[in-house]
Amino acid sequence: MDILQRFSKYIQFETTSCEASQETPSSACQLELARYLKTELEHIGVPKVILDDYGIVYGWLPASPGHEKCHALGLIAHMDTSPAASGRNVQLHIIENYDGEDVTLPSGVKLSTADFPHLKTLAGRTLLTTDGTTLMGADDKAGIAEIVTAIETVISEKIPHGPLCIAFTPDEEVGRGADHFNVDKFGADFAYTVDGGPENELSCETFNAASAHIHIHGVSVHPGDARDIMVNAALVACELAGMLPASETPRYTQGYEGFYHLDSVHGDVSEAAMSYIIRDHDRKRFEQRKQVLKDIAESLNKKYGQNTVTLVLEDSYYNMKEIIDQHPHLMENAKAVMESLGLEPCLLPVRGGTDGSRLSFMGLPCPNLGTGGYAYHGPMEHITKEGMEMASRVVLGLIETYGKESL
């Protein structure tokens, strides 16, 4: 099965994760793909594959004879797709020998070079899109296809390798992909997640991340008798939002710039609730951002009365660069493999997180590789067959590299 056939099969599985769910995995549909992947890994010759109680697929390929003392290399991708857009009934739209110009998808949605200038660099390739009504799922089913294709090549072509550990996780998109990951059972010395953008992308930096849950308790009385009594919770929510720097939202930030993102808000006079996510690559600035919210809550409580505003802050993950920097070979080897394939490595900070963000702090150093995909989480998501093929070659190159390095 070639990589396009494999990818096409995977995206037919609806695997949207659900942030509100307390189950693991957060949506039962993810288990359908998990079961399929377990069977597929067994079919291509991976001798030990399990699907655990948390919906994680693990596979292990013992080292080739004579390579038992090589480092155990892990390869990880996630099965779920973002709840930001529908992942049901994905219709793959294939454009062979793409001309590098604007594309109008079957639904009428336009994929334009004005919005996505990189489209011009994809001319001559086989461009894959949706019909414009759903996301595609390249994030991260392309990563799964690239790993499975590389493993199949290793087995079929008898390429010498060290111990290989494979894992496909649920619920990465809702921040819970590593919640039940068993690092000791996995057995890798280090790993790569395959969950990034263009095929030459290589990342060892993610945001530091936290969530802020804010509850505002108002005082509701008849508006005709409200002077010095009413506390309008909805207006306090607006006031709180206005006290944060307007330029430090996702719309106005890029690169290493952090932000406050108002994820949801609802309420009335009596009660209001707000959810923010806080992001920054720099750990000191990250802590300062959390303190800003604490100070705002304290200020509003002084103004309107104690316990008007309650704030709960929860750290989600930290910048994995703190850990990856202790293992420089991970970046050096990945860069060398890319360069050997004619790629110019693009080292960009991830403006988000990966399973590797948490796994690195759990004892499994884990940089992130590109999949070849673009415009994730929405109906303009796209990728090329050639990008996936190259990303899979990068994975294969790392398998070969670590198959030559002994402990």
Side-chain angles (χ1 to χ4, degrees):
M1 188 183 298
D2 72 18
I3 201 163
L4 178 52
Q5 292 173 310
R6 183 164 273 137
F7 176 67
S8 299
K9 177 67 177 179
Y10 296 163
I11 64 175
Q12 298 311 307
F13 290 89
E14 181 189 1
T15 58
T16 310
S17 47
C18 177
E19 192 163 15
S21 171
Q22 300 303 309
E23 301 297 319
T24 302
S26 65
S27 54
C29 59
Q30 294 180 68
L31 291 171
E32 294 182 27
L33 178 57
R35 286 188 283 265
Y36 177 85
L37 291 171
K38 178 180 183 293
T39 300
E40 184 180 22
L41 288 176
E42 292 168 341
H43 177 74
I44 66 173
V46 178
K48 183 180 180 183
V49 186
I50 66 169
L51 170 57
D52 77 1
D53 293 339
Y54 303 106
I56 302 174
V57 179
Y58 296 99
W60 294 271
L61 191 61
S64 304
H67 296 261
E68 293 85 353
K69 293 185 178 180
C70 292
H71 288 286
L73 175 65
L75 299 165
I76 301 169
H78 67 87
M79 297 177 289
D80 64 315
T81 59
S82 170
S86 172
R88 177 178 295 179
N89 193 27
V90 174
Q91 301 296 309
L92 188 63
H93 188 48
I94 302 174
I95 306 171
E96 296 183 351
N97 196 25
Y98 167 58
D99 63 8
E101 300 301 323
D102 292 357
V103 176
T104 300
L105 305 181
S107 68
V109 171
K110 179 175 282 190
L111 195 60
S112 73
T113 57
D115 292 332
F116 303 107
H118 66 264
L119 283 168
K120 291 186 177 295
T121 71
L122 305 180
R125 296 187 179 192
T126 299
L127 182 68
L128 312 176
T129 74
T130 70
D131 64 357
T133 63
T134 69
L135 51 66
M136 181 189 299
D139 178 15
D140 188 27
K141 291 167 185 171
I144 299 173
E146 289 151 9
I147 291 171
V148 174
T149 299
I151 294 296
E152 183 178 43
T153 301
V154 166
I155 294 170
S156 63
E157 297 183 10
K158 297 181 171 55
I159 295 173
H161 59 87
L164 297 177
C165 311
I166 307 151
F168 303 131
T169 62
D171 292 340
E172 190 271 352
E173 296 290 3
V174 293
R176 306 207 294 264
D179 277 6
H180 301 286
F181 196 98
N182 192 323
V183 170
D184 291 336
K185 179 169 70 175
F186 190 50
D189 296 308
F190 33 77
Y192 291 89
T193 51
V194 187
D195 187 21
E199 59 268 26
N200 65 332
E201 187 176 283
L202 173 61
S203 303
C204 67
E205 301 179 70
T206 58
F207 277 137
N208 296 288
S211 60
H213 302 286
I214 301 165
H215 194 184
I216 301 169
H217 306 267
V219 178
S220 180
V221 295
H222 190 285
D225 301 314
R227 183 178 176 86
D228 297 329
I229 300 172
M230 177 184 285
V231 177
N232 188 322
L235 284 178
V236 175
C238 294
E239 185 175 352
L240 187 154
M243 295 172 76
L244 290 168
S247 62
E248 296 181 18
T249 65
R251 178 179 173 84
Y252 300 109
T253 55
Q254 61 183 348
Y256 284 97
E257 297 169 335
F259 57 74
Y260 304 91
H261 173 53
L262 179 58
D263 197 43
S264 69
V265 58
H266 61 272
D268 53 25
V269 175
S270 296
E271 304 284 340
M274 310 172 77
S275 293
Y276 274 90
I277 62 172
I278 304 164
R279 301 289 189 266
D280 209 298
H281 287 93
D282 182 86
R283 187 71 169 264
K284 182 178 180 181
R285 290 197 301 267
F286 172 65
E287 296 298 334
Q288 290 170 343
R289 288 185 183 281
K290 292 191 291 182
Q291 187 61 48
V292 165
L293 273 177
K294 292 177 184 177
D295 292 344
I296 288 174
E298 182 179 353
S299 171
L300 291 172
N301 281 330
K302 286 181 179 178
K303 182 176 181 179
Y304 295 110
Q306 287 303 311
N307 301 317
T308 298
V309 177
T310 57
L311 168 67
V312 177
L313 286 165
E314 296 178 346
D315 286 358
S316 304
Y317 55 83
Y318 302 112
N319 189 346
M320 63 188 183
K321 189 175 191 298
E322 295 180 32
I323 306 300
I324 305 302
D325 279 352
Q326 300 172 33
H327 306 272
H329 64 89
L330 290 167
M331 297 296 286
E332 292 168 0
N333 285 337
K335 285 190 284 186
V337 166
M338 289 182 178
E339 289 167 353
S340 74
L341 293 169
L343 296 173
E344 181 178 347
C346 179
L347 276 66
L348 290 175
V350 177
R351 287 184 61 78
T354 68
D355 279 338
S357 305
R358 290 182 59 197
L359 292 173
S360 291
F361 285 89
M362 291 164 62
L364 184 63
C366 207
N368 192 43
L369 302 171
T371 66
Y374 302 87
Y376 292 158
H377 293 195
M380 290 183 284
E381 188 177 3
H382 53 282
I383 198 167
T384 66
K385 177 184 177 184
E386 292 80 3
M388 287 194 293
E389 289 171 339
M390 183 59 76
S392 190
R393 290 191 196 109
V394 171
V395 172
L396 184 59
L398 286 166
I399 291 171
E400 294 176 312
T401 296
Y402 282 104
K404 299 171 185 175
E405 296 190 359
S406 298
L407 294 169

